[in-house]
Amino acid sequence: MSDQPHILVVDDHRDIRDLLGRYLRQHEYRVSLASDGRELRKMMADDVSPDLIVLDLMMPGEDGLSLCRWLRENYDVPVVMLTALGEETDRIIGLEMGADDYLAKPFNPRELLARIKAVLRRAQSLPVGRKGPLPGGEVHFDRWILDRTRHELRDANDVVLPLSAGEYGLLCAFVEHPNMVLNRDQLLDLTRGREAVPFDRSIDNQVSRLRKKIETDVKNPTLIKTVWGGGYMFTCEVVEK
């Protein structure tokens, strides 16, 4: 039983919760159910530790977007978002909040199962990460200080270097996996950029912009090195304070 992936379904509609619970259990998943954001927060605080969360977007009280943002800030767990809204804008907003995939209601449970399997495969291909709350505090590397509580980067003179949300997320991925080769797909997952298509070059562009800000010599980078045919490696000692 313990080897079965654990799925947490969060939906205010009891019929949908129960249907998904039965269906996923039939396919050999462990399942927990929550009716709203309050129950989700309590379960996470009680260390339920799901392998994936199926999260409804439109719920009374705290909605799925707010909950997804909270999950991204505090936990390293994949999220598949459900919504009755089929607009492209809603899909993009959900992905920008950190959802790994998106499925509009009404949906076929078989399609949801396929998406859950795909997201779990991607998550399992990533370097070992954290299952609990991501720590805040400061990370020191080279001449830089990354403050994960304030979401800012400072130099040795305490001057703040502006970073875009994408650059900040990419830097966090690097400092949390130092001296490890990360390919583009892994970096897309670690930065929650799954709306990008597989041949998207946005990671390369963000690496280039990040290098311009943190490298002493952009033409000869020493912090973020390119591994030909592999991806990128953050070759710097990282010290957590």
Side-chain angles (χ1 to χ4, degrees):
M1 286 290 290
S2 60
D3 292 335
Q4 295 175 314
H6 183 190
I7 310 299
L8 172 56
V9 177
V10 187
D11 197 304
D12 62 303
H13 293 283
R14 182 175 180 177
D15 290 346
I16 294 177
R17 285 199 313 276
D18 292 345
L19 171 66
L20 290 180
R22 289 193 302 269
Y23 186 80
L24 292 173
R25 290 186 184 105
Q26 288 171 1
H27 288 82
E28 300 185 343
Y29 289 91
R30 290 182 294 135
V31 181
S32 296
L33 304 176
S35 62
D36 56 21
R38 185 172 55 85
E39 287 191 10
L40 167 63
R41 286 176 179 267
K42 183 179 185 305
M43 293 174 109
M44 297 303 288
D46 291 341
D47 199 23
V48 171
S49 298
D51 294 295
L52 181 144
I53 295 176
V54 176
L55 179 63
D56 186 29
L57 174 63
M58 302 299 290
M59 292 187 293
E62 189 172 13
D63 64 24
L65 290 179
S66 174
L67 290 167
C68 188
R69 185 188 303 111
W70 172 74
L71 287 167
R72 276 295 151 260
E73 291 173 350
N74 294 280
Y75 298 91
D76 184 16
V77 56
V79 175
V80 174
M81 187 164 283
L82 303 177
T83 179
L85 303 176
E87 295 295 328
E88 181 75 6
T89 301
D90 300 303
R91 182 183 73 86
I92 293 172
I93 291 174
L95 292 168
E96 287 179 344
M97 288 299 107
D100 295 83
D101 207 343
Y102 177 105
L103 190 60
K105 295 178 180 179
F107 58 87
N108 187 319
R110 291 178 61 185
E111 182 178 0
L112 176 61
L113 179 64
R115 289 174 183 259
I116 287 173
K117 289 180 177 179
V119 171
L120 286 174
R121 278 197 303 269
R122 290 202 303 263
Q124 290 164 1
S125 73
L126 294 176
V128 175
R130 300 179 175 91
K131 292 284 283 186
L134 296 174
E138 295 181 348
V139 175
H140 294 234
F141 64 93
D142 193 55
R143 64 189 190 280
W144 300 103
I145 301 169
L146 179 64
D147 189 328
R148 290 177 294 185
T149 301
R150 296 184 178 181
H151 287 212
E152 65 182 23
L153 181 66
R154 306 192 304 273
D155 65 15
N157 296 315
D158 263 354
V159 177
V160 175
L161 181 72
L163 294 177
S164 69
E167 292 163 354
Y168 175 80
L170 183 61
L171 183 56
C172 284
F174 279 131
V175 300
E176 289 170 6
H177 302 86
N179 300 306
M180 298 180 65
V181 178
L182 301 173
N183 62 39
R184 292 178 180 85
D185 281 343
Q186 289 174 326
L187 286 169
L188 281 170
D189 278 308
L190 288 167
T191 56
R192 304 299 170 182
R194 293 313 308 178
E195 70 272 22
V197 291
F199 53 85
D200 193 298
R201 307 298 288 183
S202 63
I203 288 294
D204 298 314
N205 295 333
Q206 287 196 5
V207 167
S208 178
R209 291 196 295 269
L210 189 56
R211 278 173 169 165
K212 290 177 182 178
K213 294 185 176 182
I214 69 174
E215 295 279 4
T216 302
D217 182 355
V218 177
K219 293 183 179 180
N220 297 287
T222 60
L223 302 182
I224 305 174
K225 291 188 176 181
T226 300
V227 179
W228 299 113
Y232 298 98
M233 180 186 290
F234 192 67
T235 58
C236 186
E237 182 182 5
V238 176
V239 179
E240 297 202 26
K241 298 290 186 178

